[in-house]
Amino acid sequence: MPRRNSRKHARGTGSGLPRFGSTFQSTRTESGPAGWEDVEFAVRTISAGQSTKVYRCPGCDQEIMPGTAHIVAWPVGYGGGSDDRRHWHRNCWSKRAQRTITRRWG
Ligand SMILES: [Zn+2]
């Protein structure tokens, strides 16, 4: 009896879909940097308030200091694991087509 109950419960979680909608709304898809033009990148804007760590921007190889609004981007096909994400200065991301990124994915 308990086993049947848990199975029914697991199936019921499918009704929780709208919960994830707001998360994905803030993510857009853009073309990748030089050498990655054919790859779709998921792009998210990180506000100054959300930025609490130092990141290294692959566009200029300089640090992004905490409290700096910036971009986080990753190849859509890579699934967006934290290891695949790169944090970019907004300026560097906007000029990415003219840059060769300093660190490659994978
Ligand atoms: Zn940069």
Side-chain angles (χ1 to χ4, degrees), residues 57 59-60 89 92:
C57 169
C60 63
H89 295 109
C92 296

Side-chain angles (χ1 to χ4, degrees), residues 13 16-17 29 32 39 42 49 54 58 64-65 73 77 92 100 103:
T13 56
L17 263 179
T29 306
V39 181
V54 176
I64 303 170
M65 300 310 283
C92 296
T100 306
R103 288 162 190 232

Side-chain angles (χ1 to χ4, degrees), residues 53-102:
K53 285 166 61 179
V54 176
Y55 300 101
R56 188 170 293 275
C57 169
C60 63
D61 204 31
Q62 300 296 307
E63 289 177 342
I64 303 170
M65 300 310 283
T68 305
H70 64 275
I71 298 290
V72 60
W74 64 93
V76 169
Y78 282 53
S82 57
D83 288 349
D84 298 322
R85 298 186 185 193
R86 292 294 182 276
H87 294 254
W88 296 69
H89 295 109
R90 287 194 293 193
N91 262 351
C92 296
W93 180 253
S94 68
K95 295 174 185 164
R96 68 195 181 284
Q98 293 102 58
R99 291 178 180 274
T100 306
I101 60 174
T102 57

Side-chain angles (χ1 to χ4, degrees), residues 12 21 23-24 26 28 35 40 43 47 50-51 58 70 74-77 85-86 94 100 102 106:
T23 304
F24 289 131
S26 60
R28 60 191 183 278
E40 283 203 320
V43 178
S47 71
Q50 289 174 301
S51 181
H70 64 275
W74 64 93
V76 169
R85 298 186 185 193
R86 292 294 182 276
S94 68
T100 306
T102 57

